[in-house]
Amino acid sequence: MPRIAWRVEELAAQRGLGARQLAEAAGLDQKTVRNILSGRATRVDLSTIAGLSRALGVGPGSLWDVGADPARAWERTAGAAGEARPGELDDVLAGDWSERTDPALERALHSP
């Protein structure tokens, strides 16, 4: 499952808005806005999202950052090392770094 994080604090900071100013511009309670900015808000209704979106001048989808699924992080580097020779991956996983091991494969295994 992707990780979803609020970007409201980032967007407010880009516009020079603190919690009080954002709350006023969005027509929201300051405590609600502080909870959203601090990441403590767990349930936010659609009217709150609409107010934040309007106050920040962005579409509702821009209020969130949808990060990659950590369980699928390997997809960022899949294929970066090119095709492995038969048995090469088994050798690398076994710790056998021979001269025939492709250095790109070794780099790919150590990249974030």
mmCIF file of all heavy atoms in Angstrom, residues 74-86 88-89 92 97 100-111:
data_model
loop_
_atom_site.group_PDB
_atom_site.id
_atom_site.type_symbol
_atom_site.label_atom_id
_atom_site.label_comp_id
_atom_site.label_asym_id
_atom_site.label_seq_id
_atom_site.Cartn_x
_atom_site.Cartn_y
_atom_site.Cartn_z
ATOM 1 N N TRP A 74 12.102 -2.123 -5.018
ATOM 2 C CA TRP A 74 13.021 -2.715 -5.990
ATOM 3 C C TRP A 74 12.717 -2.242 -7.412
ATOM 4 O O TRP A 74 13.597 -2.218 -8.266
ATOM 5 C CB TRP A 74 12.958 -4.242 -5.924
ATOM 6 C CG TRP A 74 11.596 -4.778 -6.263
ATOM 7 C CD1 TRP A 74 10.552 -4.988 -5.422
ATOM 8 C CD2 TRP A 74 11.114 -5.127 -7.566
ATOM 9 N NE1 TRP A 74 9.450 -5.449 -6.093
ATOM 10 C CE2 TRP A 74 9.772 -5.548 -7.418
ATOM 11 C CE3 TRP A 74 11.679 -5.127 -8.830
ATOM 12 C CZ2 TRP A 74 8.995 -5.954 -8.491
ATOM 13 C CZ3 TRP A 74 10.898 -5.533 -9.898
ATOM 14 C CH2 TRP A 74 9.575 -5.943 -9.728
ATOM 15 N N GLU A 75 11.470 -1.829 -7.684
ATOM 16 C CA GLU A 75 11.098 -1.418 -9.033
ATOM 17 C C GLU A 75 11.874 -0.187 -9.501
ATOM 18 O O GLU A 75 12.049 0.008 -10.694
ATOM 19 C CB GLU A 75 9.594 -1.149 -9.116
ATOM 20 C CG GLU A 75 8.780 -2.417 -9.032
ATOM 21 C CD GLU A 75 7.279 -2.160 -9.052
ATOM 22 O OE1 GLU A 75 6.853 -1.000 -8.787
ATOM 23 O OE2 GLU A 75 6.550 -3.110 -9.322
ATOM 24 N N ARG A 76 12.356 0.642 -8.566
ATOM 25 C CA ARG A 76 13.121 1.831 -8.954
ATOM 26 C C ARG A 76 14.417 1.466 -9.653
ATOM 27 O O ARG A 76 14.920 2.223 -10.463
ATOM 28 C CB ARG A 76 13.416 2.684 -7.727
ATOM 29 C CG ARG A 76 12.201 3.332 -7.118
ATOM 30 C CD ARG A 76 12.566 4.384 -6.085
ATOM 31 N NE ARG A 76 13.509 3.938 -5.094
ATOM 32 C CZ ARG A 76 13.184 3.442 -3.894
ATOM 33 N NH1 ARG A 76 11.921 3.371 -3.556
ATOM 34 N NH2 ARG A 76 14.090 3.052 -3.052
ATOM 35 N N THR A 77 14.983 0.310 -9.319
ATOM 36 C CA THR A 77 16.265 -0.069 -9.904
ATOM 37 C C THR A 77 16.177 -1.298 -10.798
ATOM 38 O O THR A 77 17.181 -1.728 -11.346
ATOM 39 C CB THR A 77 17.310 -0.348 -8.802
ATOM 40 O OG1 THR A 77 16.826 -1.389 -7.970
ATOM 41 C CG2 THR A 77 17.605 0.899 -7.998
ATOM 42 N N ALA A 78 14.985 -1.850 -10.966
ATOM 43 C CA ALA A 78 14.834 -3.055 -11.784
ATOM 44 C C ALA A 78 15.367 -2.806 -13.191
ATOM 45 O O ALA A 78 15.024 -1.837 -13.845
ATOM 46 C CB ALA A 78 13.367 -3.477 -11.833
ATOM 47 N N GLY A 79 16.242 -3.661 -13.631
ATOM 48 C CA GLY A 79 16.812 -3.569 -14.968
ATOM 49 C C GLY A 79 17.981 -2.617 -15.092
ATOM 50 O O GLY A 79 18.588 -2.518 -16.150
ATOM 51 N N ALA A 80 18.348 -1.908 -14.032
ATOM 52 C CA ALA A 80 19.426 -0.927 -14.106
ATOM 53 C C ALA A 80 20.772 -1.562 -14.421
ATOM 54 O O ALA A 80 21.638 -0.934 -15.011
ATOM 55 C CB ALA A 80 19.528 -0.149 -12.791
ATOM 56 N N ALA A 81 20.942 -2.811 -14.064
ATOM 57 C CA ALA A 81 22.222 -3.477 -14.280
ATOM 58 C C ALA A 81 22.259 -4.237 -15.600
ATOM 59 O O ALA A 81 23.277 -4.804 -15.952
ATOM 60 C CB ALA A 81 22.504 -4.451 -13.133
ATOM 61 N N GLY A 82 21.167 -4.245 -16.334
ATOM 62 C CA GLY A 82 21.137 -4.991 -17.584
ATOM 63 C C GLY A 82 20.840 -6.460 -17.324
ATOM 64 O O GLY A 82 20.460 -6.853 -16.225
ATOM 65 N N GLU A 83 21.004 -7.266 -18.344
ATOM 66 C CA GLU A 83 20.741 -8.701 -18.245
ATOM 67 C C GLU A 83 21.878 -9.410 -17.517
ATOM 68 O O GLU A 83 23.049 -9.174 -17.810
ATOM 69 C CB GLU A 83 20.595 -9.306 -19.643
ATOM 70 C CG GLU A 83 19.334 -8.871 -20.361
ATOM 71 C CD GLU A 83 18.092 -9.494 -19.761
ATOM 72 O OE1 GLU A 83 18.128 -10.685 -19.376
ATOM 73 O OE2 GLU A 83 17.087 -8.775 -19.662
ATOM 74 N N ALA A 84 21.542 -10.281 -16.610
ATOM 75 C CA ALA A 84 22.546 -11.087 -15.904
ATOM 76 C C ALA A 84 22.859 -12.322 -16.733
ATOM 77 O O ALA A 84 21.995 -12.858 -17.425
ATOM 78 C CB ALA A 84 22.022 -11.499 -14.538
ATOM 79 N N ARG A 85 24.107 -12.757 -16.672
ATOM 80 C CA ARG A 85 24.487 -14.010 -17.322
ATOM 81 C C ARG A 85 23.919 -15.166 -16.521
ATOM 82 O O ARG A 85 23.668 -15.009 -15.317
ATOM 83 C CB ARG A 85 26.007 -14.108 -17.411
ATOM 84 C CG ARG A 85 26.613 -13.073 -18.356
ATOM 85 C CD ARG A 85 28.122 -13.267 -18.508
ATOM 86 N NE ARG A 85 28.855 -13.128 -17.265
ATOM 87 C CZ ARG A 85 29.196 -11.957 -16.718
ATOM 88 N NH1 ARG A 85 28.862 -10.848 -17.320
ATOM 89 N NH2 ARG A 85 29.860 -11.908 -15.601
ATOM 90 N N PRO A 86 23.717 -16.323 -17.133
ATOM 91 C CA PRO A 86 23.201 -17.477 -16.380
ATOM 92 C C PRO A 86 24.061 -17.763 -15.141
ATOM 93 O O PRO A 86 25.294 -17.835 -15.235
ATOM 94 C CB PRO A 86 23.284 -18.620 -17.384
ATOM 95 C CG PRO A 86 23.219 -17.959 -18.726
ATOM 96 C CD PRO A 86 23.934 -16.639 -18.550
ATOM 97 N N GLU A 88 24.810 -15.781 -12.732
ATOM 98 C CA GLU A 88 25.481 -14.614 -12.166
ATOM 99 C C GLU A 88 24.771 -14.114 -10.906
ATOM 100 O O GLU A 88 25.417 -13.817 -9.900
ATOM 101 C CB GLU A 88 25.546 -13.490 -13.196
ATOM 102 C CG GLU A 88 26.303 -12.266 -12.701
ATOM 103 C CD GLU A 88 26.469 -11.207 -13.767
ATOM 104 O OE1 GLU A 88 25.680 -11.177 -14.731
ATOM 105 O OE2 GLU A 88 27.390 -10.388 -13.623
ATOM 106 N N LEU A 89 23.471 -14.040 -10.946
ATOM 107 C CA LEU A 89 22.729 -13.569 -9.779
ATOM 108 C C LEU A 89 22.915 -14.512 -8.596
ATOM 109 O O LEU A 89 23.098 -14.065 -7.462
ATOM 110 C CB LEU A 89 21.246 -13.410 -10.112
ATOM 111 C CG LEU A 89 20.389 -12.748 -9.032
ATOM 112 C CD1 LEU A 89 20.941 -11.394 -8.630
ATOM 113 C CD2 LEU A 89 18.962 -12.602 -9.516
ATOM 114 N N VAL A 92 26.280 -13.731 -7.082
ATOM 115 C CA VAL A 92 26.279 -12.466 -6.345
ATOM 116 C C VAL A 92 25.581 -12.636 -4.999
ATOM 117 O O VAL A 92 26.074 -12.198 -3.965
ATOM 118 C CB VAL A 92 25.606 -11.355 -7.181
ATOM 119 C CG1 VAL A 92 25.370 -10.112 -6.344
ATOM 120 C CG2 VAL A 92 26.463 -11.017 -8.389
ATOM 121 N N TRP A 97 31.936 -12.627 -5.460
ATOM 122 C CA TRP A 97 32.188 -11.513 -6.366
ATOM 123 C C TRP A 97 33.395 -11.838 -7.224
ATOM 124 O O TRP A 97 34.506 -11.431 -6.951
ATOM 125 C CB TRP A 97 32.452 -10.230 -5.574
ATOM 126 C CG TRP A 97 31.327 -9.836 -4.696
ATOM 127 C CD1 TRP A 97 31.253 -10.036 -3.354
ATOM 128 C CD2 TRP A 97 30.121 -9.213 -5.073
ATOM 129 N NE1 TRP A 97 30.055 -9.568 -2.875
ATOM 130 C CE2 TRP A 97 29.337 -9.054 -3.926
ATOM 131 C CE3 TRP A 97 29.604 -8.775 -6.280
ATOM 132 C CZ2 TRP A 97 28.084 -8.466 -3.932
ATOM 133 C CZ3 TRP A 97 28.350 -8.190 -6.287
ATOM 134 C CH2 TRP A 97 27.607 -8.041 -5.122
ATOM 135 N N ARG A 100 34.163 -12.194 -13.233
ATOM 136 C CA ARG A 100 33.152 -12.214 -14.283
ATOM 137 C C ARG A 100 31.853 -11.526 -13.856
ATOM 138 O O ARG A 100 30.957 -11.338 -14.666
ATOM 139 C CB ARG A 100 32.884 -13.634 -14.754
ATOM 140 C CG ARG A 100 32.293 -14.530 -13.704
ATOM 141 C CD ARG A 100 32.156 -15.972 -14.254
ATOM 142 N NE ARG A 100 31.461 -16.792 -13.283
ATOM 143 C CZ ARG A 100 30.156 -16.955 -13.243
ATOM 144 N NH1 ARG A 100 29.387 -16.375 -14.126
ATOM 145 N NH2 ARG A 100 29.598 -17.716 -12.321
ATOM 146 N N THR A 101 31.756 -11.105 -12.581
ATOM 147 C CA THR A 101 30.555 -10.419 -12.112
ATOM 148 C C THR A 101 30.516 -9.018 -12.706
ATOM 149 O O THR A 101 31.481 -8.272 -12.627
ATOM 150 C CB THR A 101 30.536 -10.330 -10.573
ATOM 151 O OG1 THR A 101 30.598 -11.642 -10.050
ATOM 152 C CG2 THR A 101 29.274 -9.638 -10.084
ATOM 153 N N ASP A 102 29.411 -8.671 -13.287
ATOM 154 C CA ASP A 102 29.220 -7.359 -13.891
ATOM 155 C C ASP A 102 29.202 -6.299 -12.794
ATOM 156 O O ASP A 102 28.397 -6.380 -11.873
ATOM 157 C CB ASP A 102 27.887 -7.353 -14.653
ATOM 158 C CG ASP A 102 27.625 -6.057 -15.397
ATOM 159 O OD1 ASP A 102 28.295 -5.048 -15.119
ATOM 160 O OD2 ASP A 102 26.730 -6.069 -16.252
ATOM 161 N N PRO A 103 30.089 -5.277 -12.845
ATOM 162 C CA PRO A 103 30.108 -4.245 -11.804
ATOM 163 C C PRO A 103 28.780 -3.486 -11.702
ATOM 164 O O PRO A 103 28.424 -2.997 -10.643
ATOM 165 C CB PRO A 103 31.239 -3.306 -12.206
ATOM 166 C CG PRO A 103 31.797 -3.800 -13.479
ATOM 167 C CD PRO A 103 31.110 -5.064 -13.859
ATOM 168 N N ALA A 104 28.030 -3.386 -12.798
ATOM 169 C CA ALA A 104 26.731 -2.702 -12.741
ATOM 170 C C ALA A 104 25.766 -3.483 -11.865
ATOM 171 O O ALA A 104 24.965 -2.903 -11.143
ATOM 172 C CB ALA A 104 26.158 -2.533 -14.142
ATOM 173 N N LEU A 105 25.837 -4.794 -11.899
ATOM 174 C CA LEU A 105 24.976 -5.619 -11.057
ATOM 175 C C LEU A 105 25.338 -5.407 -9.593
ATOM 176 O O LEU A 105 24.467 -5.256 -8.741
ATOM 177 C CB LEU A 105 25.107 -7.099 -11.432
ATOM 178 C CG LEU A 105 24.275 -8.080 -10.612
ATOM 179 C CD1 LEU A 105 22.795 -7.766 -10.738
ATOM 180 C CD2 LEU A 105 24.542 -9.500 -11.067
ATOM 181 N N GLU A 106 26.602 -5.353 -9.305
ATOM 182 C CA GLU A 106 27.036 -5.106 -7.924
ATOM 183 C C GLU A 106 26.557 -3.747 -7.444
ATOM 184 O O GLU A 106 26.023 -3.612 -6.349
ATOM 185 C CB GLU A 106 28.561 -5.177 -7.833
ATOM 186 C CG GLU A 106 29.065 -5.007 -6.416
ATOM 187 C CD GLU A 106 30.580 -5.129 -6.307
ATOM 188 O OE1 GLU A 106 31.222 -5.506 -7.286
ATOM 189 O OE2 GLU A 106 31.089 -4.833 -5.229
ATOM 190 N N ARG A 107 26.676 -2.709 -8.276
ATOM 191 C CA ARG A 107 26.203 -1.366 -7.906
ATOM 192 C C ARG A 107 24.706 -1.360 -7.672
ATOM 193 O O ARG A 107 24.209 -0.750 -6.746
ATOM 194 C CB ARG A 107 26.566 -0.352 -8.987
ATOM 195 C CG ARG A 107 28.018 0.097 -8.948
ATOM 196 C CD ARG A 107 28.234 1.320 -9.814
ATOM 197 N NE ARG A 107 27.736 1.168 -11.175
ATOM 198 C CZ ARG A 107 28.390 0.562 -12.166
ATOM 199 N NH1 ARG A 107 29.593 0.059 -11.955
ATOM 200 N NH2 ARG A 107 27.865 0.477 -13.375
ATOM 201 N N ALA A 108 23.964 -2.053 -8.529
ATOM 202 C CA ALA A 108 22.507 -2.076 -8.384
ATOM 203 C C ALA A 108 22.084 -2.720 -7.078
ATOM 204 O O ALA A 108 21.098 -2.312 -6.473
ATOM 205 C CB ALA A 108 21.878 -2.812 -9.568
ATOM 206 N N LEU A 109 22.805 -3.698 -6.629
ATOM 207 C CA LEU A 109 22.460 -4.367 -5.374
ATOM 208 C C LEU A 109 22.725 -3.490 -4.162
ATOM 209 O O LEU A 109 22.162 -3.698 -3.111
ATOM 210 C CB LEU A 109 23.233 -5.686 -5.233
ATOM 211 C CG LEU A 109 22.785 -6.803 -6.176
ATOM 212 C CD1 LEU A 109 23.732 -7.976 -6.094
ATOM 213 C CD2 LEU A 109 21.379 -7.257 -5.848
ATOM 214 N N HIS A 110 23.585 -2.510 -4.312
ATOM 215 C CA HIS A 110 23.926 -1.624 -3.194
ATOM 216 C C HIS A 110 23.259 -0.271 -3.275
ATOM 217 O O HIS A 110 23.443 0.557 -2.416
ATOM 218 C CB HIS A 110 25.448 -1.429 -3.103
ATOM 219 C CG HIS A 110 26.168 -2.694 -2.789
ATOM 220 N ND1 HIS A 110 26.123 -3.289 -1.557
ATOM 221 C CD2 HIS A 110 26.920 -3.508 -3.574
ATOM 222 C CE1 HIS A 110 26.828 -4.403 -1.566
ATOM 223 N NE2 HIS A 110 27.319 -4.572 -2.784
ATOM 224 N N SER A 111 22.441 -0.020 -4.309
ATOM 225 C CA SER A 111 21.789 1.289 -4.437
ATOM 226 C C SER A 111 20.532 1.322 -3.578
ATOM 227 O O SER A 111 19.947 0.294 -3.293
ATOM 228 C CB SER A 111 21.452 1.583 -5.899
ATOM 229 O OG SER A 111 20.518 0.648 -6.364
#
